[in-house]
Amino acid sequence: MNRLPLSDISSTATLLPGTNTTCPYCGVGCGVKATVTDVPARTVTIAGDENHPANSGRLCVKGSALGETVGMEGRLLYPEIRGERKSWDESLEFVAAEFSRIVREHGPDAVAFYVSGQLLTEDYYVANKLMKGFIGSANIDTNSRLCMSSSVAGHKRAFGADTVPNCYEDLELADLVVLTGSNAAWCHPVIFQRLKAAKEKRPGMRIVVIDPRRTATCDIADLYLPVKAGEDVRLFNALLAQLASRDALDHDFIEQHCNGFVQALAAAQAQDLAIAHLAHDTGIDALDIERFFSWFVTTPRTLTLYSQGVNQSSSGSDKVNAIINCHLATGRIGKPGSGPFSLTGQPNAMGGREVGGLANQLAAHMDIDNPEHRERVQRFWQAPVMPEKNGLKAVDMFEAVHAGKIKAIWIVATNPVVSMPDADRVRAALQQCELVVVSDCIADTDTTRMAHVKLPALGWGEKDGTVTNSERRISRQRAFLPAPGEARADWWMMAEVGRRMGFADAFAFAAPADVFSEHAALSAFENDAAHGRRDFDIGAVAGLDAAAYDALLPFQWPIRSGEHAGTKRLFADGQFFTADGRARFLAVSPRTPANLPDADWPFVLNTGRIRDQWHTMTRTGLSARLLAHIGEPFCAMNPDDAAAFAIREHDVVTLESRWGLARARVQLTRDQSAGTVFMPMHWTGVLSSHSRVGAVVNPVVDPVSGQPESKHTPVRVRRFDAAWHGFVLSSVALPLPDQDYAVAVRGGKFWRFELAGENTLVGPTELADELLKTVMQQALAQGRATETLEYVDASCGVYRRAVLIEGLLQSVCFIGPDSGLPERRWLAGLIGGPLSALDRRALLSGRAADPAADVGNIICACFAVGEKTIRRAIATQNLDSVAAIGACLKAGSNCGSCQPELKQILASCQVVEKTPA
Ligand SMILES: Nc1nc2c(c(=O)[nH]1)N[C@H]1C(S)=C(S)[C@@H](COP(=O)(O)OP(=O)(O)OC[C@H]3O[C@@H](n4cnc5c(=O)[nH]c(N)nc54)[C@H](O)[C@@H]3O)O[C@H]1N2
Ligand SMILES: Nc1nc2c(c(=O)[nH]1)N[C@H]1C(S)=C(S)[C@@H](COP(=O)(O)OP(=O)(O)OC[C@H]3O[C@@H](n4cnc5c(=O)[nH]c(N)nc54)[C@H](O)[C@@H]3O)O[C@H]1N2
Ligand code: SF4
Ligand SMILES: [Mo]
C-alpha cells in the first residue's frame, strides 16, 4: 500500500474548517470551500478555495451561487419503474435482467450507455469498464462528443495522444493570447479574470479574440477578428503560410521533432492567400488580419485558447490541427506562456477522456482499434470480452435507437432531449425505445420524462470522487451534505448492475477510493519504454488508502510511480506520443459547413451559452439570482436584418430549420453580424413550450470526431404573429401554460410566465381563469378569502387581473394586443406582500408611482443591481469607471462577471452625453 510519500499532493492540513471541494460547473475546475451552517435546512456557505491553484480563491457568479442550488426542490429521491416507486433492489435487478436479456437475444450492440462529462472519474470508469469489458460492446458515448471530441481527435492526430500540453500559469506568462471560438468571459470566467488581471499588470500583453459575434470576452481584446462562421481553417492556414514566408519558423524544432511540415505548408499555400481575398472569405478586415499575423510572427510567447467555436463544427478537428500546426511550426509548445490550449467545457470532460468514456477510446488513453491495447486492458480487467471495433458516436447512437437497433439505453448525468442536435428526433427515438433508464438528481427533466426507469443520483455536495480540469489537474470533489431520500452514487448503480449481470468480482468496489486506485493502476500498467509510453500515467497515486485518497490535494498528470509532484507542461522536450516520438503536422484545407444558407433558409443560427446559466438549467435554474440577468430565451439579431423582416426589439420570433422550430424574444444588437442569429442552448421543454433550440440544430457532424456542428444551422426567422401577449406573476409555481409561446422564469419569491398566442383570444377572462386556476383552487382548498381586481378594455384587447388572498397580493395576469406590456420588475416586487394605498391604485397600470422603484434589468447578479439604477447613478453621481460604479453601488465588485456589461453601459451613457440633442 502506497502510504503518502506524496507530500506535494496529499495533506490534511487545509481541509478544515468547511469542506474543500471542486466546483461542479466548468472546466476551469475552481476549488470551493463549502461550509454547512444548517444540515437539515441544507444551508451552505460557499467561498473560493484560496489554496486551489486553478482559482486562488476566485469564483464566478455560478460558483458563488452554488449554495442556492443544493436544496431539496425538484430532487429525484426514489427509484421508479414506469412511474411507480420501487426499491433499489427491484430496480437494479430489473435493469440488470433486461440488459442481460437484450444482450442475449440481440447481441451486445443492442444496448448502450450515454454518459456525461459531469460524472466523476470513478463513475465514468465503472460505466466504461462494464460496457466495454463485460457487456462487450463499445456503445458507450458521452455528451463530451458534443463538446470536446474534435479536440481529442486533433490532439491524437498531432501528438499521438489526447494531451493538453499547457497549464494555467501560462495565462500569466504569455505575451500574446489568442482566444478563438471561446467566450471565456461568460464560459470560463475565472480564466478570463486571470487574463484580465495579467493584462492590467502587464499592459504590453496583447489579446486577440476571434469570434463571429462580438462577445463580452472582447472587453479585454486589443484586436477583435469577426471571423465568418466556419472560416477558422482558412485563417490559420494563411497564418502558417505567413510564418513560412516571414521566416518565423523554428526550423530546428520542425526538423528534429516533427513530421509532415512540407505537406501541411503546401496545403496552406494551395489556398488563395491574396490578402484581399482572404479578407473577403473570412469576413475580417485586411488590416486586422495583417496585424494579427504580425503579432503572431513576432511574439514567441503566444498562447492560443480555443473552445466550442472551434470544436462544434463540421471541420472541428481540422480547425484544431490548423491551430496546432502554427504552434508546432514555431516550436511554441510546452514552453512557458505558449502552446495550443483547449479549454474544456465540463468539470470532468478531461476525466472522462482519461477513463476512455468515448465510443472510440478504451481506457487510460488506450485505443479500441489497437489490438495490443485491447489485449492489455482485457488482461488487466480480466474481462471476458472486449469489443474489436469502435462503438456508435452520440448522433449515430440515437439514430440506432430510432431505428430500433439499440433496444435499451442508460442515460446518466446528461439531458440529450435538450442538448442533442435534431433534438425532437432524439425524443422520438427514446419514445419508441424498449427500455430507457435515466439516472439524474432531478426528477423532472425533458429526458427523465422519456424514462421507463428513473434512478436517483447523488448531486454535487453529496458525491465523492475526482475530476480533472482543463490543465490536467485532478482534484477531489468531496461530500458535505447527507444523501437526500434514497439517492446513491452513479458508480454504485453501475457496479450494482454489473454484479447483477454476473460480474461480481470485477465490480466489487466498496468506495470511490477503490475505483480510483484501480484506474490509477491501469494508467501505469505496462506503461513504459518497453511497452510504449502513454501520456496518461498517475501511477504515483495507485494504491492510495482511503485516508490518503480523502486527503488528496490537486495535482497535474502525469505523475508516474515514484514521482512526488505532477507535471506542469508536456512536450517541452520535443518528445511526443506517436510511434516515432515526433509530432505530426496535418495538411488541412478549408471546407464550408455542410448546410449553407440559401434563399429559403437565409440566416446562420449560432448557439451557445449565457453568463449565468449552466446547460439545461436543472441546477442554475434553481437560483432566482442567476435568472435575474437573463430570464427569457432570446434570439440575438442584427438590426438591419431585423428591419428587412419587419422584426422589432422584444418581438417573439420563430426560428425554423429543416429539422424543427424554436421561439424566442428578439434582442437587436450590432454585436451580431448580418446574416447570423444567436440563440442560447439552455431553455428546455420543462421551462418553455417551444424554446428548445436543439430542435432546430442540424445533426451534421465532423467526419473525424463525430462532433455535431451546433454553431451552424441555416434557418429562417420570422416574427411570430402573436394575436396577444401576456404575463403572469404568481407567488406559487403554476403548471407551464400550454401556449404557442410560454416561458417560466423563477423569481425570488414568485414565478413569472411570459406568454404569447397566435389565435385571437375570444375571452381573455377565460384565459386568465385558466392561467390562475391553481392559485384559486389552493385558496379555495385552504378556505382563504380571495379578492380580485380587474381592468378590461375590450376595444383594444387589454385585460388585467390581480388576485389578493387575505390582503396579500398573490398573482397578477396582464394580457394585451402587443408586446408593449408594462415592466414586470416593479409588479414582481409586490407579489406576496400587502399593498399600500398608492401601490394598490397604481397596480393595474403596472407602473410604479415612484420611478426609483423601477431598477430595470439586473446586471450584477451578486448584489441584484439593475440597469436603470446603474444608469441613474452614472448620470447623477458622474460615475466614470467600473470601479466608481462598484464603489457607489457595489455592482461588479464581487465576482466581476458583469464588468464587461458595466463598461458597455458606461460607454453608451457617454455616447448619449456626447450626442447633441
Ligand atoms: N455560463 C456557462 N459557462 C459554461 C457552460 C455553460 O453552460 N454556461 N458550459 C461549459 C461547457 S460544457 C462548455 S463546452 C464551455 C463552452 O465555452 P465556449 O466555447 O466559450 O462557449 P460557447 O458559447 O458555446 O461558444 C463560444 C463562441 O464560439 C463562437 N463561434 C461560433 N462559431 C464560430 C466559428 O466558426 N469560429 C469561431 N472562431 N468562433 C465561433 C460563438 O459565437 C461563441 O461566442 O463552457 C463551459 N462553461
Ligand atoms: N445547440 C447547442 N447544443 C449543445 C451545445 C451548444 O453549444 N449548442 N453544447 C453541447 C455541449 S458542449 C455540452 S457539454 C452539452 C451539455 O448538455 P447536457 O449534458 O445535456 O446538459 P446538462 O444540463 O449539464 O445535463 C446534465 C444532467 O445531469 C444531471 N446531473 C447533475 N449532476 C448529476 C450527477 O452527479 N449524477 C447524475 N446521474 N445526474 C446529474 C442534471 O440534473 C442534468 O439533468 O450540450 C451540448 N449541446
Ligand atoms: S469559473 Fe467555472 S469552475 Fe470556476 S466557479 Fe465559475 S463555473 Fe465554477
Ligand atoms: Mo461542453
Side-chain angles (χ1 to χ4, degrees), residues 310-441:
V310 166
N311 291 327
Q312 286 173 342
S313 156
S314 55
S315 55
S317 311
D318 285 357
K319 288 184 181 184
V320 171
N321 285 103
I323 293 168
I324 293 175
N325 283 348
C326 294
H327 281 271
L328 290 175
T330 47
R332 292 176 195 160
I333 190 161
K335 294 177 186 151
S338 69
F341 197 167
S342 146
L343 295 181
T344 54
Q346 299 178 85
N348 202 28
M350 292 282 271
R353 284 145 68 170
E354 289 148 22
V355 303
L358 289 160
N360 53 326
Q361 301 176 322
L362 197 41
H365 281 200
M366 285 180 273
D367 297 313
I368 294 185
D369 51 17
N370 180 326
E372 232 175 88
H373 287 180
R374 283 204 305 269
E375 189 277 330
R376 179 179 302 138
V377 176
Q378 183 160 17
R379 198 152 34 82
F380 180 88
W381 278 344
Q382 306 203 346
V385 280
M386 196 56 93
E388 295 191 353
K389 58 174 178 45
N390 293 335
L392 295 173
K393 296 173 181 152
V395 170
D396 295 336
M397 180 180 275
F398 284 99
E399 258 326 293
V401 173
H402 201 277
K405 290 183 195 145
I406 289 177
K407 296 174 192 305
I409 185 165
W410 188 351
I411 299 169
V412 189
T414 177
N415 195 356
V417 174
V418 181
S419 56
M420 283 286 291
D422 199 3
D424 286 347
R425 189 165 171 90
V426 170
R427 178 156 58 193
L430 294 179
Q431 234 150 15
Q432 64 198 47
C433 183
E434 228 176 283
L435 176 63
V436 178
V437 182
V438 179
S439 312
D440 206 293
C441 39

Side-chain angles (χ1 to χ4, degrees), residues 663 685 688-690 724 734-743 753-759 761 767 770-771:
R663 298 203 174 100
S688 70
S689 62
H690 294 92
W724 60 272
L734 308 176
L736 183 74
D738 180 18
Q739 300 295 338
D740 301 317
Y741 180 76
V743 179
F753 296 87
E754 293 293 336
L755 306 164
E758 201 153 21
N759 300 324
L761 277 183
L767 176 64
E770 174 65 27
L771 293 170

Side-chain angles (χ1 to χ4, degrees), residues 651-662:
D651 277 347
V652 173
V653 288
T654 304
L655 288 93
E656 216 178 329
S657 73
R658 272 149 54 201
W659 295 271
L661 72 78

Side-chain angles (χ1 to χ4, degrees), residues 25-27 62 118 146-148 179-184 186-189 210-213 215 227-232 306-310 312-313 319 343-347 606-616 678 681-682 711-712:
Y25 297 126
C26 85
K62 293 185 301 301
Q118 292 168 71
L146 322 180
C147 179
M148 305 314 310
L179 287 133
T180 180
S182 156
N183 184 9
W186 283 12
C187 298
H188 295 95
I210 309 175
D211 192 309
R213 293 188 304 150
T215 63
V227 69
K228 207 193 263 175
E231 286 294 335
D232 307 66
Y306 59 93
S307 196
Q308 298 315 339
V310 166
Q312 286 173 342
S313 156
K319 288 184 181 184
L343 295 181
T344 54
Q346 299 178 85
N606 174 7
T607 62
R609 296 160 167 78
I610 61 172
R611 196 187 77 190
D612 294 357
Q613 291 305 326
W614 178 260
H615 297 164
T616 70
F678 175 87
M681 63 170 290
H682 305 292
K711 300 276 185 263
H712 194 286

Side-chain angles (χ1 to χ4, degrees), residues 25-26 60-62 65 69 186-187 189 608-634 680-684 687 744-746 861:
Y25 297 126
C26 85
C60 76
V61 62
K62 293 185 301 301
T69 64
W186 283 12
C187 298
R609 296 160 167 78
I610 61 172
R611 196 187 77 190
D612 294 357
Q613 291 305 326
W614 178 260
H615 297 164
T616 70
M617 297 171 69
T618 63
R619 288 170 293 157
T620 44
L622 295 167
S623 160
R625 183 153 70 97
L626 293 180
L627 279 153
H629 180 236
I630 298 175
E632 221 183 321
F634 65 89
M681 63 170 290
H682 305 292
W683 274 270
T684 64
L687 291 171
V745 190
R746 176 190 300 269

Side-chain angles (χ1 to χ4, degrees), residues 69-215:
T69 64
V70 292
M72 293 292 285
E73 186 185 338
R75 290 297 298 264
L76 178 61
L77 296 174
Y78 307 101
E80 280 176 24
I81 301 179
R82 294 182 203 282
E84 250 181 70
R85 181 174 164 180
K86 297 281 176 192
S87 71
W88 268 113
D89 218 33
E90 281 171 291
S91 308
L92 296 164
E93 210 47 70
F94 178 77
V95 174
E98 281 298 283
F99 267 71
S100 297
R101 176 186 64 79
I102 292 170
V103 169
R104 212 168 41 241
E105 289 173 7
H106 305 280
D109 291 336
V111 298
F113 294 164
Y114 183 63
V115 302
S116 162
Q118 292 168 71
L119 286 175
L120 302 175
T121 299
E122 292 74 5
D123 303 323
Y124 230 134
Y125 179 86
V126 177
N128 189 55
K129 180 178 180 183
L130 176 57
M131 183 51 85
K132 295 202 178 122
F134 293 81
I135 291 175
S137 167
N139 279 346
I140 170 168
D141 211 41
T142 135
N143 62 3
S144 285
R145 181 70 58 198
L146 322 180
C147 179
M148 305 314 310
S149 59
S150 294
S151 280
V152 175
H155 292 155
K156 288 176 82 167
R157 294 197 297 188
F159 310 142
D162 177 20
T163 318
V164 174
N166 291 85
C167 63
Y168 292 160
E169 274 174 38
D170 294 324
L171 300 168
E172 280 92 23
L173 296 173
D175 294 321
L176 172 63
V177 177
V178 181
L179 287 133
T180 180
S182 156
N183 184 9
W186 283 12
C187 298
H188 295 95
V190 165
I191 284 184
F192 180 78
Q193 287 174 27
R194 283 180 71 156
L195 285 173
K196 190 171 174 211
K199 193 167 159 55
E200 274 160 15
K201 215 162 161 188
R202 223 161 28 89
M205 173 179 183
R206 284 178 171 139
I207 295 182
V208 179
V209 174
I210 309 175
D211 192 309
R213 293 188 304 150
R214 181 185 279 277
T215 63

